Amino acid sequence: MSNRILSVNAYTTLDLVSARLETHDDSLSLDGVLNVATEDECPDRVILGIELDTVGVDAVPAHADRIELTPDQAEAVAESLQDYAEDVRSASH
């Protein structure tokens, strides 16, 4: 992925994810980066960041989306992810 906005290094949560970008007019399957972090100086929020590889997609400029979550919100998302992961594992066996 060239022209990245999010830093990608050994500490990046997931440096390659399959993603879907959806607009009113189109739907594209793209690769992306997903990272979970906190601010270094005042870690009062959990930051969920995602950036899709939009090279060659002229309709969407390069950008990264970041969601700031309280600790309670982050725990709710983690619990939901865990529940869905268990459902998928059960269904695939």
Side-chain angles (χ1 to χ4, degrees), residues 29-76:
S29 293
L30 302 168
D31 291 328
V33 172
L34 178 72
N35 195 43
V36 179
T38 61
E39 291 291 338
D40 291 335
E41 294 181 17
C42 186
D44 65 338
R45 297 276 191 253
V46 175
I47 300 168
L48 178 63
I50 187 162
E51 180 178 1
L52 303 184
D53 184 1
T54 57
V55 171
V57 180
D58 296 333
V60 181
H63 70 284
D65 295 305
R66 290 184 176 90
I67 299 170
E68 294 186 4
L69 303 168
T70 65
D72 289 340
Q73 290 171 324
E75 289 170 350

Side-chain angles (χ1 to χ4, degrees), residues 3 78-79 89-90:
N3 196 25
E79 183 178 322
R89 273 199 191 95
S90 294

Side-chain angles (χ1 to χ4, degrees), residues 12-45:
T12 303
T13 307
L14 297 172
D15 58 357
L16 182 63
V17 295
S18 296
R20 179 169 301 281
L21 184 145
E22 296 181 7
T23 68
H24 290 291
D25 301 322
D26 204 358
S27 178
L28 302 169
S29 293
L30 302 168
D31 291 328
V33 172
L34 178 72
N35 195 43
V36 179
T38 61
E39 291 291 338
D40 291 335
E41 294 181 17
C42 186
D44 65 338
R45 297 276 191 253

